[in-house]
Amino acid sequence: MIIKSDFRYSIKFLFAFVVMFSAILMEKANAQISAGKASYRTLTEYTSTANDSVFVFCDNIGTGVGELRADSPDGTNGWAFAWTKWDATVNDFTINLVTEANQSFSILSNLTDGRYRVVMSKSGETDVTSIAWVLNNSNAEPVLTFSRMNCDGVYFAGSFSKKDLQYQDVPNANQINVKVDDRVRFSLQRNGEERQGTPLVAYDGWDEQLYDGQVFEGDETYQLVVTDQYACEFRSNSIVSNTYVVKADFSVDPKDGEAPLEVKFTNNSINATDYDWYLYQDPERVPEDVTDDEDRLLTDGILVVDNKDPFNYTYKHPGKYQVKLIVKSDKGPEVCIDEMILSTPIVVDTSLVQVPNVFTPNGDGRNDIWKIKTQSLFLESFHAIVFNRWGRVVYEWRNPEEGWNGKVNGKMATPGTYFYVITAVGREEPQKKYTKKGSFMLIRK
């Protein structure tokens, strides 16, 4: 049993050593050129010889920006890197470039189009050779032209002269197109932000219609950015344009509260010159697809203003109120119209406390008790205090069903002005605290 066990472990160790040694050999044999700055990589499709890597570089300046890197097969120093370039006239690597000694890697920059080879050698090691093509993609600049504008937006036409990159079939001199997915992408950008992105398959230079329907004010800058089939970006000339598309937009604050409720309307509309505000008491009555005359008959109030300034409107009665804003623009050759309706209605609640401003405690059975009307079902707690004009407390109570009978220590209070402070806590979640202060008159007739 012991002999079998030792033999089994010996076999496992030998197998692990073979795998590790094979991996080292494969790493050396497969050492190759890399190109971190390339935008696209593929393999050649030679007709009769082993294929090479093809690296495409985005060359916006047209001078050759290719860059190749070769790393030593074992990652150590002491290797020599001999770079040469293919000479198509003799079909061989006869153009010497550079040789670097005692290195772990070597980089060649600013390379023009062509086929490059590096031979890595080290004393006691087998030479390793790697070959790759460099193709600089210096495509033509896209063309962007202004077409027209209307109430829908701004229209342009864009075009691009797509360039197909080629390499030489080795060993013959035939040219082969780089294998690539034949699609490009047009991006219409305004101030650097994309407004329309259009992928195009098998594009051959036709005029593509581009459009920006978003509203904005003033002049802004457009540019066409084309991403070609090699993932390189090319930018067109810039065009400055405005738009007369109109957008209705507003906000209200607060959106709910007790009557009387003063609401601030902030007009955020864009490119508008006329503003018609429609105030509806019943949200269910907000009409759609009606004429202006019908719209006016269904509203509870219409405000027509000719400026964008914020304004306040007071809702005096409880209820749910809806608002619609219709805006118009005459900035272009045609009048543009847009409208906005609040997503939720303004909710005006009944006042938590209603305080009388006068009472007459004269024993006639009418208005003899200064009593506060409350929504008692919605109160968690209640506290009322009455002061005279010198700030002395003359009466206070905590039961909202009670009130002041106009007496102080059992004697009739002096007629005149009195002041009150009422505090209450509602049953909302979270609980809401209310405070109301004011004055009233005590009159004896």
Side-chain angles (χ1 to χ4, degrees):
M1 295 294 294
I2 297 177
I3 294 176
K4 290 182 180 180
S5 176
D6 288 343
F7 178 77
R8 184 169 63 251
Y9 286 118
S10 299
I11 293 295
K12 287 184 176 180
F13 175 80
L14 178 61
F15 177 77
F17 176 80
V18 170
V19 170
M20 180 179 68
F21 183 72
S22 299
I24 293 175
L25 291 179
M26 289 293 293
E27 182 182 18
K28 289 184 178 182
N30 292 332
Q32 62 182 359
I33 294 173
S34 62
K37 295 183 178 181
S39 65
Y40 183 78
R41 176 186 175 180
T42 187
L43 292 175
T44 60
E45 295 182 323
Y46 299 143
T47 56
S48 60
T49 58
N51 290 312
D52 300 324
S53 294
V54 177
F55 297 106
V56 177
F57 298 85
C58 302
D59 185 6
N60 297 99
I61 58 178
T63 61
V65 295
E67 181 177 285
L68 299 179
R69 170 174 175 145
D71 289 275
S72 62
D74 58 5
T76 64
N77 289 322
W79 287 81
F81 296 80
W83 292 90
T84 54
K85 186 177 181 180
W86 178 264
D87 186 346
T89 60
V90 296
N91 285 336
D92 199 359
F93 289 97
T94 58
I95 304 174
N96 293 317
L97 299 177
V98 65
T99 298
E100 294 182 313
N102 198 28
Q103 302 290 322
S104 62
F105 68 91
S106 178
I107 297 177
L108 258 61
S109 300
N110 301 321
L111 301 178
T112 57
D113 291 358
R115 187 179 183 219
Y116 293 83
R117 182 183 70 180
V118 60
V119 177
M120 294 166 278
S121 59
K122 184 178 183 179
S123 177
E125 302 286 346
T126 303
D127 290 355
V128 177
T129 299
S130 187
I131 301 172
W133 280 91
V134 167
L135 297 177
N136 291 283
N137 184 18
S138 54
N139 245 314
E141 183 178 276
V143 176
L144 181 67
T145 56
F146 173 81
S147 297
R148 68 187 189 282
M149 69 173 69
N150 56 25
C151 286
D152 294 324
V154 186
Y155 294 81
F156 301 88
S159 61
F160 179 64
S161 297
K162 187 175 66 174
K163 178 181 179 182
D164 292 323
L165 300 179
Q166 296 180 324
Y167 57 89
Q168 178 185 341
D169 189 5
V170 176
N172 63 56
N174 296 331
Q175 295 296 307
I176 302 175
N177 286 339
V178 174
K179 183 180 180 180
V180 70
D181 184 12
D182 188 14
R183 67 178 65 228
V184 300
R185 187 176 189 275
F186 278 26
S187 172
L188 178 65
Q189 298 187 359
R190 172 159 54 85
N191 294 341
E193 294 185 0
E194 182 173 278
R195 305 309 316 152
Q196 178 186 352
T198 306
L200 302 171
V201 179
Y203 176 75
D204 64 357
W206 67 76
D207 281 349
E208 183 67 21
Q209 301 305 308
L210 305 167
Y211 158 77
D212 179 14
Q214 188 181 57
V215 63
F216 62 90
E217 290 183 311
D219 291 335
E220 297 195 355
T221 302
Y222 286 91
Q223 194 173 38
L224 172 60
V225 179
V226 175
T227 304
D228 73 358
Q229 67 271 39
Y230 308 108
C232 292
E233 283 191 358
F234 298 92
R235 295 180 176 271
S236 74
N237 55 301
S238 296
I239 294 178
V240 176
S241 178
N242 56 24
T243 184
Y244 56 86
V245 177
V246 66
K247 179 178 177 60
D249 185 32
F250 68 93
S251 60
V252 298
D253 184 45
K255 295 181 178 179
D256 55 68
E258 300 173 12
L261 180 66
E262 185 177 58
V263 177
K264 181 180 180 180
F265 288 77
T266 302
N267 190 347
N268 304 311
S269 301
I270 302 176
N271 277 338
T273 53
D274 296 300
Y275 312 89
D276 292 350
W277 297 87
Y278 295 80
L279 310 181
Y280 302 89
Q281 182 168 0
D282 185 354
E284 301 300 325
R285 289 170 57 187
V286 179
E288 295 182 0
D289 300 325
V290 296
T291 65
D292 289 346
D293 290 338
E294 290 173 328
D295 216 352
R296 281 167 168 77
L297 290 173
L298 292 169
T299 56
D300 296 291
I302 303 173
L303 299 176
V304 179
V305 296
D306 57 1
N307 59 63
K308 194 178 177 180
D309 297 336
F311 66 90
N312 294 341
Y313 184 83
T314 301
Y315 291 90
K316 298 180 180 180
H317 307 288
K320 293 183 178 180
Y321 296 86
Q322 188 55 278
V323 181
K324 178 169 71 173
L325 171 62
I326 297 179
V327 298
K328 298 179 181 179
S329 170
D330 58 3
K331 293 185 176 181
E334 55 184 320
V335 176
C336 303
I337 301 175
D338 190 41
E339 69 175 48
M340 173 188 169
I341 299 175
L342 277 181
S343 57
T344 57
I346 297 170
V347 179
V348 182
D349 293 328
T350 302
S351 180
L352 176 70
V353 292
Q354 297 178 351
V355 183
N357 56 11
V358 64
F359 88 117
T360 57
N362 54 13
D364 63 359
R366 294 182 301 172
N367 200 23
D368 286 337
I369 303 294
W370 190 76
K371 188 175 181 180
I372 300 166
K373 296 180 180 180
T374 67
Q375 297 181 15
S376 57
L377 293 177
F378 301 101
L379 291 182
E380 182 72 25
S381 63
F382 173 88
H383 186 206
I385 306 175
V386 176
F387 305 86
N388 61 19
R389 58 181 178 176
W390 294 283
R392 181 176 298 174
V393 176
V394 297
Y395 194 75
E396 64 179 309
W397 66 103
R398 296 182 180 276
N399 185 348
E401 300 299 322
E402 297 178 358
W404 183 39
N405 60 5
K407 295 182 179 181
V408 179
N409 296 325
K411 298 180 180 181
M412 292 295 185
T414 303
T417 301
Y418 289 82
F419 303 89
Y420 65 86
V421 175
I422 301 168
T423 57
V425 176
R427 296 182 184 275
E428 299 95 336
E429 182 62 40
Q431 290 181 336
K432 184 176 180 179
K433 295 182 179 180
Y434 301 87
T435 300
K436 194 176 186 69
K437 300 179 181 180
S439 63
F440 63 93
M441 291 292 297
L442 188 156
I443 300 174
R444 298 193 187 278
K445 295 181 180 179

